[in-house]
């Protein structure tokens, strides 16, 4: 059996107005779950709700306080909170253990509903107290869950911010003793004999006692000396109280365990290594690590901030160990973890992630997203630590490459929307594979329709190039002859209707690329040309190069790009370059002089000397000359980037430095900010930034 879901009402930040509909319901995977989200999203509250409901194997007692009850914006606390968990996939043996509390799901399979109602009440003297009511059973027919059944459901819990050194020290509140006392190695023998450790300690105590009773000199022992002193402290009626003996510890098992400490052979371990030692000790509570027999119950392990005090490689090794244990174990074990580590999240299967956002838990398993098998495989390969930070953001901007990644933060800061202050993450997908990431944030039909649950409202912005070359390029490069081009996947599908190949056999890489002949186009895509289909295909892919045809192709492509992503259930905005590429659009904009300067600085060792300065001054002059076509000058500025004579990333970095300098200069910032906000060639970038921070009006731009 495993915990399928938990519903929470009026607990911590999860409050609800009517007290009937749960404030949040979290759906879990059978084996591995990792809760992610920004700070204060409710990850700890979910873990604590499970602990309050089910208890822990180490018998930690959690006192319920006022802060456990939901408080509204006026500071008024609710009078109750309610937590309900549902267990499914019970074996016949497990069903027998919970027979009187069982119910059935819509498929007629066993399920176990367990609930905890905590309510503030007053006694006859008017004193407030808190009443806990733990029950189980079908809704409306719940009865008290007895202690034997509750013991089966108990969890193993590793708290956050672990003080490993102190936790493993001896003492009355020894965590080590709490862990060890429930281990099978410390079960009392069934034949009624004493435990081996008790027997060993009794023998040790006998030897210690004997040592102190031995004469250390002419008839005197340490015990006799102490008893002699004590006789002077008591009257004759209390002489029996002077009897004493030395021992190491009491010989009951709990007292022995409380005297134990756990250390490694190496001394002076750092926090990380001590933490690993502590985690290893805590995991002794997992039955599958020490018992080969079939275990009854869910075997839930809760671990908060598993990355605490661990460097990235140690985090990954630990998480991989847990995943391996799940694969090897014959028993059903369920891990529920929280994490803020992008390294850790990037190393696990995305299906195991549960995103907590705006008081809703969004599992990212295939049942609830629009991802298919190949999408998950792609994300497992490419979801690195820089991309997995999207699970901790308030908004996301997806970009094609390094240029946008370097420029967007500087541009956003200059116009008054600093991305870091708004919690916006930039995700470089290194191409145009936006769809797979968008699917991750899009809810399935089951989630939206059958379960009637909300969409993920995280604002997602896609910034992409139209990749349609302008008339200035063809004119300047003297390429006014006809070209062959497949604009998008829709056009490719039209082509393949006349071919023997299907789309699975075709390369999608050449989409948008221009070819001088139809044969070169067909060879690049991988479909066959015949006498029967050549003319038909040519009529689809042949493009007349005129200003009008270029504008038409560009408009069609932008429209189709936006339509492509409109089918997804997510808060998405698609922002396409008005002209060709990011850099060419910038070359047409008010910051073109800054781009030109950045290109010369990146391209030449002495950019503003000799002939280089002449070329630079000539282009600067053309940029301000209204008699020269702006598109022609823009192409001349952009040409070194297009021909790869200079690195786009380096140019973007230099341009970002200039924008950052302007943002810090109060005498220049207002002018440049207003100019950028009014520039039609930069509007798509500004709109993407605004969308990501959920602002819809330019007037709201902060100064």
């Amino acid at each position: 059996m495993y915990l399928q879901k938990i519903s929470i009402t009026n607990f911590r930040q999860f409050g609800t107005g009517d007290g009937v509909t749960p404030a949040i319901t979290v759906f879990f995977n059978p084996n591995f779950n990792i809760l992610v989200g920004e700070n204060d999203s409710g990850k700890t509250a979910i873990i604590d709700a499970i602990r309050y409901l089910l208890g822990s194997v180490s018998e930690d007692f959690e006192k319920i306080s006022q802060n456990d009850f939901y408080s509204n914006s006026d500071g008024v606390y609710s009078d109750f909170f309610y937590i309900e968990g549902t267990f499914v996939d019970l074996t016949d043996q497990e069903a027998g253990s919970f027979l009187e509390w069982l119910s059935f799901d819509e498929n007629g399979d066993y399920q176990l509903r367990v609930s905890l109602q905590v309510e503030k009440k007053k006694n006859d003297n008017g004193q407030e107290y808190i009443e806990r009511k733990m029950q189980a059973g079908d809704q409306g027919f719940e009865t008290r869950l007895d202690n034997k059944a509750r013991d089966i459901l108990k969890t193993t819990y590793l708290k956050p911010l672990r003080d490993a050194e102190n936790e493993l020290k001896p003492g009355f509140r020894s965590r080590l003793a709490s862990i060890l006392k429930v281990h099978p190695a410390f079960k009392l023998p069934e034949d009624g004999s004493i435990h081996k450790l008790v027997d060993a300690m009794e023998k040790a105590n006998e030897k210690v006692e004997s040592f102190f009773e031995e004469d250390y000199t002419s008839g005197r022992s340490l015990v006799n000396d102490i008893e002699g002193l004590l006789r002077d402290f008591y009257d004759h009626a209390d002489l029996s109280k002077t009897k004493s003996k030395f021992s190491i510890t009491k010989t009951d098992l709990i007292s022995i365990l409380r005297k134990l400490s756990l250390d490694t052979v190496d001394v002076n371990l750092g926090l990380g290594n001590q933490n690993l030692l502590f985690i290893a000790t805590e995991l002794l509570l997992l039955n599958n690590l020490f018992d080969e027999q079939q275990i009854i119950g869910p075997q839930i392990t809760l671990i908060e901030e598993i990355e605490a005090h661990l460097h990235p490689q140690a985090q990954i090794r630990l998480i991989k160990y847990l995943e391996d244990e799940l694969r090897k174990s014959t028993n059903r074990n369920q891990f529920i973890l929280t994490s803020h580590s992008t390294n850790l999240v990037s190393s696990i299967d995305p299906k195991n992630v549960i995103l907590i956002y705006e008081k809703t838990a969004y599992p990212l398993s295939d049942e609830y997203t629009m991802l298919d098998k190949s999408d998950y495989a792609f994300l497992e390969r490419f979801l690195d630590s820089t991309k997995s930070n999207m699970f901790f953001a308030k908004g996301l901007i997806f970009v094609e490459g390094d240029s946008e990644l370097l420029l967007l933060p500087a541009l956003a800061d200059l116009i008054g929307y600093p991305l870091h202050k708004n919690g916006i993450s930039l995700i470089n997908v290194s191409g145009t594979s936006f769809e797979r990431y968008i699917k991750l944030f899009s809810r399935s039909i089951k989630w939206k329709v059958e379960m009637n649950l909300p969409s993920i409202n995280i604002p997602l912005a896609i910034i992409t190039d139209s990749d349609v070359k302008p008339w200035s390029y063809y004119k300047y490069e003297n390429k006014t002859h006809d070209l062959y081009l497949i604009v998008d996947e829709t056009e490719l599908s039209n082509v393949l209707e006349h071919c023997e190949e299907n789309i699975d056999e075709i390369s999608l890489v050449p989409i948008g690329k221009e070819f001088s002949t139809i044969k070169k186009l067909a060879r690049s895509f991988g479909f066959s040309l015949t006498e029967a289909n050549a003319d038909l295909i040519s009529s689809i892919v042949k493009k007349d190069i005129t200003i009008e045809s270029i504008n038409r192709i560009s408009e069609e492509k932008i429209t189709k790009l936006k339509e492509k992503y409109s089918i997804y259930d997510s808060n998405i905005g698609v922002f396409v370059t008005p002209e060709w590429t990011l850099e060419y659009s910038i070359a047409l904009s008010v910051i073109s002089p800054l781009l030109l300067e950045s290109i010369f600085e990146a391209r030449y060792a002495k950019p503003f000397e000799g002939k280089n300065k002449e070329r630079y001054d000539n282009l600067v002059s053309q940029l301000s000359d209204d008699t020269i076509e702006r598109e022609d000058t823009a192409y001349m500025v952009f040409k070194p980037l297009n021909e790869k004579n200079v690195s786009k990333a380096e140019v973007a970095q230099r341009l970002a430095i200039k924008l950052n300098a302007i943002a810090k200069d109060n005498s220049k910032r207002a002018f440049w900010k207003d100019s950028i906000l009014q520039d039609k060639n930069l509007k798509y970038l500004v709109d993407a930034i605004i969308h990501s921070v959920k602002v819809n009006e330019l007037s709201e731009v902060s100064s």
Side-chain angles (χ1 to χ4, degrees), residues 245-368:
K245 66 177 180 178
F246 284 89
S247 62
I248 299 174
T249 184
K250 293 180 181 179
T251 55
D252 62 284
L253 192 55
I254 294 300
S255 296
I256 295 171
L257 296 180
R258 285 174 178 164
K259 297 294 183 183
L260 294 177
S261 64
L262 180 64
D263 304 288
T264 61
V265 174
D266 289 335
V267 295
N268 298 324
L269 291 180
L271 282 174
N273 289 304
Q274 288 177 342
N275 201 34
L276 286 173
L277 179 62
F278 178 63
I279 290 174
T281 308
E282 287 277 0
L283 292 179
L284 288 175
L285 294 171
L286 289 179
N287 287 334
N288 70 299
L289 294 182
F290 51 68
D291 202 333
E292 293 299 324
Q293 68 181 18
Q294 186 66 35
I295 303 300
I296 301 299
Q299 309 306 308
I300 298 171
T301 301
L302 308 172
I303 307 179
E304 282 202 80
E305 297 177 15
I306 190 170
E307 69 272 14
H309 305 311
L310 301 179
H311 65 80
Q313 287 303 316
Q315 295 172 23
I316 294 170
R317 285 196 296 270
L318 178 56
I319 210 76
K320 291 301 181 185
Y321 165 78
L322 296 178
E323 288 181 323
D324 290 342
E325 283 300 311
L326 285 175
R327 281 190 288 269
K328 293 187 295 185
S329 175
T330 57
N331 294 309
R332 169 65 59 81
N333 289 285
Q334 187 177 26
F335 286 91
I336 302 173
L337 291 68
T338 70
S339 179
H340 296 102
S341 169
T342 56
N343 291 291
L344 190 148
V345 173
S346 68
S347 69
I348 67 169
D349 189 334
K351 293 178 184 177
N352 295 328
V353 174
I354 300 175
L355 173 65
I356 313 299
Y357 181 77
E358 290 188 342
K359 308 297 174 61
T360 303
Y362 297 99
L364 302 185
S365 55
D366 51 5
E367 187 177 6
Y368 303 116

Side-chain angles (χ1 to χ4, degrees), residues 82 162 434 477 510:
Y82 180 77
R162 297 171 281 276
F434 302 111
E477 300 296 341

Side-chain angles (χ1 to χ4, degrees), residues 37-295:
E38 59 180 322
N39 288 336
D40 299 321
S41 58
K43 301 185 293 294
T44 294
I46 293 168
I47 294 293
D48 284 347
I50 298 172
R51 290 198 301 122
Y52 282 25
L53 178 65
L54 304 178
S56 62
V57 173
S58 54
E59 299 180 354
D60 301 310
F61 178 76
E62 294 296 334
K63 183 179 180 180
I64 293 172
S65 69
Q66 174 84 332
N67 290 332
D68 288 324
F69 295 85
Y70 171 71
S71 172
N72 64 20
S73 57
D74 296 324
V76 178
Y77 287 89
S78 62
D79 293 325
F80 79 98
F81 66 78
Y82 180 77
I83 302 168
E84 179 185 299
T86 302
F87 293 89
V88 298
D89 201 16
L90 281 73
T91 65
D92 290 340
Q93 193 173 1
E94 288 169 337
S97 299
F98 297 100
L99 188 59
E100 61 184 285
W101 300 284
L102 284 183
S103 55
F104 297 92
D105 61 19
E106 61 273 12
N107 298 319
D109 296 323
Y110 297 130
Q111 71 173 17
L112 175 67
R113 290 178 65 255
V114 181
S115 66
L116 172 65
Q117 172 104 5
V118 178
E119 191 171 357
K120 297 176 186 174
K121 291 191 173 183
K122 289 185 178 180
N123 61 22
D124 294 338
N125 294 324
Q127 296 172 319
E128 189 175 89
Y129 68 96
I130 293 176
E131 179 185 80
R132 297 187 187 211
K133 187 184 292 183
M134 177 77 175
Q135 294 183 309
D138 207 356
Q139 193 164 9
F141 300 93
E142 297 94 341
T143 58
R144 180 180 175 276
L145 191 67
D146 65 31
N147 289 335
K148 181 179 178 182
R150 290 183 66 177
D151 283 342
I152 296 175
L153 299 177
K154 285 183 176 179
T155 66
T156 299
Y157 172 63
L158 276 74
K159 63 184 179 182
L161 302 175
R162 297 171 281 276
D163 185 353
E165 184 177 7
N166 286 327
E167 295 282 5
L168 297 177
K169 283 182 177 179
F172 181 77
R173 299 184 181 277
S174 167
R175 176 68 177 170
L176 183 60
S178 298
I179 294 169
L180 294 179
K181 72 180 181 180
V182 295
H183 194 285
F186 297 98
K187 287 181 179 178
L188 294 177
E190 294 181 0
D191 60 6
S193 60
I194 64 174
H195 192 276
K196 290 181 179 179
L197 193 58
V198 173
D199 182 52
M201 193 57 67
E202 286 181 349
K203 291 177 179 177
N205 273 341
E206 288 175 4
K207 291 183 178 181
V208 170
E209 184 178 350
S210 175
F211 171 80
F212 285 100
E213 289 176 349
E214 292 176 358
D215 291 348
Y216 65 86
T217 182
S218 58
R220 295 180 62 185
S221 67
L222 284 170
V223 171
N224 289 338
D225 288 349
I226 291 174
E227 289 179 351
L229 291 170
L230 286 173
R231 289 190 189 98
D232 292 332
F233 301 158
Y234 290 100
D235 58 34
H236 291 292
D238 290 329
L239 287 180
S240 61
K241 297 178 181 178
T242 65
K243 296 296 182 183
S244 61
K245 66 177 180 178
F246 284 89
S247 62
I248 299 174
T249 184
K250 293 180 181 179
T251 55
D252 62 284
L253 192 55
I254 294 300
S255 296
I256 295 171
L257 296 180
R258 285 174 178 164
K259 297 294 183 183
L260 294 177
S261 64
L262 180 64
D263 304 288
T264 61
V265 174
D266 289 335
V267 295
N268 298 324
L269 291 180
L271 282 174
N273 289 304
Q274 288 177 342
N275 201 34
L276 286 173
L277 179 62
F278 178 63
I279 290 174
T281 308
E282 287 277 0
L283 292 179
L284 288 175
L285 294 171
L286 289 179
N287 287 334
N288 70 299
L289 294 182
F290 51 68
D291 202 333
E292 293 299 324
Q293 68 181 18
Q294 186 66 35
I295 303 300

Side-chain angles (χ1 to χ4, degrees), residues 420-582:
H420 64 286
K421 287 188 178 180
N422 287 286
I424 309 303
S425 288
L426 273 171
I427 308 298
N428 178 7
V429 303
S430 300
T432 57
S433 300
F434 302 111
E435 203 163 5
R436 298 182 190 270
Y437 296 94
I438 299 304
K439 286 181 180 180
L440 188 64
F441 290 91
S442 301
R443 298 282 87 188
S444 65
I445 296 297
K446 176 178 180 178
W447 180 271
K448 283 288 294 176
V449 179
E450 296 179 25
M451 301 169 69
N452 193 29
L453 291 170
S455 304
I456 301 177
N457 197 39
I458 296 175
L460 312 174
I462 291 177
I463 294 178
T464 188
D465 295 340
S466 66
D467 284 326
V468 177
K469 291 184 176 69
W471 175 251
S472 58
Y473 163 78
Y474 296 104
K475 182 174 68 172
Y476 191 88
E477 300 296 341
N478 194 27
K479 293 184 177 181
T480 55
H481 52 76
D482 295 331
L483 293 177
Y484 297 88
L485 166 70
I486 294 179
V487 175
D488 53 28
E489 289 187 37
T490 302
E491 194 165 271
L492 178 59
S493 297
N494 294 337
V495 168
L496 294 179
E497 289 179 4
H498 307 289
C499 303
E500 295 181 358
E501 295 82 6
N502 58 56
I503 199 161
D504 295 332
E505 302 171 289
I506 298 299
S507 171
L508 303 181
V509 174
I511 288 178
K513 185 178 179 181
E514 299 168 353
F515 297 90
S516 58
T517 68
I518 190 173
K519 289 182 179 179
K520 290 180 180 178
L521 180 144
R523 186 162 56 249
S524 184
F525 277 91
F527 59 79
S528 302
L529 280 179
T530 65
E531 291 185 9
N533 69 11
D535 289 340
L536 290 169
I537 292 174
S538 180
S539 67
I540 297 171
V541 302
K542 183 179 178 181
K543 304 294 188 289
D544 296 326
I545 303 303
T546 64
I547 294 177
E548 292 74 22
S549 67
I550 289 171
N551 290 339
R552 186 186 70 253
I553 292 170
S554 179
E555 289 173 6
E556 288 175 355
K557 185 164 185 181
I558 291 172
T559 299
K560 287 178 180 178
L561 274 171
K562 293 184 176 181
E563 288 175 350
K564 175 181 179 180
Y565 296 103
S566 65
I567 64 172
Y568 294 110
D569 169 52
S570 56
N571 182 8
I572 183 175
V574 181
F575 304 92
V576 188
T577 53
E579 299 284 348
W580 197 0
T581 69
L582 166 76

Side-chain angles (χ1 to χ4, degrees), residues 549-662:
S549 67
I550 289 171
N551 290 339
R552 186 186 70 253
I553 292 170
S554 179
E555 289 173 6
E556 288 175 355
K557 185 164 185 181
I558 291 172
T559 299
K560 287 178 180 178
L561 274 171
K562 293 184 176 181
E563 288 175 350
K564 175 181 179 180
Y565 296 103
S566 65
I567 64 172
Y568 294 110
D569 169 52
S570 56
N571 182 8
I572 183 175
V574 181
F575 304 92
V576 188
T577 53
E579 299 284 348
W580 197 0
T581 69
L582 166 76
E583 292 84 2
Y584 182 72
S585 293
I586 291 175
L588 286 166
S589 76
V590 293
I591 60 173
S592 180
L594 302 179
L595 175 66
L596 175 63
E597 188 178 339
S598 300
I599 291 171
F600 268 70
E601 288 173 348
R603 187 176 185 185
Y604 304 111
K606 297 180 179 179
F608 308 117
E609 296 180 18
K611 291 185 178 180
N612 289 336
K613 187 174 189 310
E614 289 179 18
R615 283 193 291 268
Y616 174 76
D617 289 342
N618 182 47
L619 285 170
V620 169
S621 176
Q622 290 183 45
L623 286 173
S624 59
D625 190 342
D626 294 336
T627 64
I628 301 176
E629 289 288 340
R630 184 72 173 183
E631 289 77 9
D632 292 344
T633 308
Y635 180 69
M636 292 302 299
V637 172
F638 173 65
K639 184 177 171 67
L641 291 167
N642 186 48
E643 295 180 350
K644 299 180 180 179
N645 294 322
V646 64
S647 164
K648 285 187 176 183
E650 185 178 352
V651 169
Q653 184 181 31
R654 290 177 180 274
L655 179 54
I657 291 171
K658 297 179 191 303
L659 294 176
N660 283 328
I662 292 171

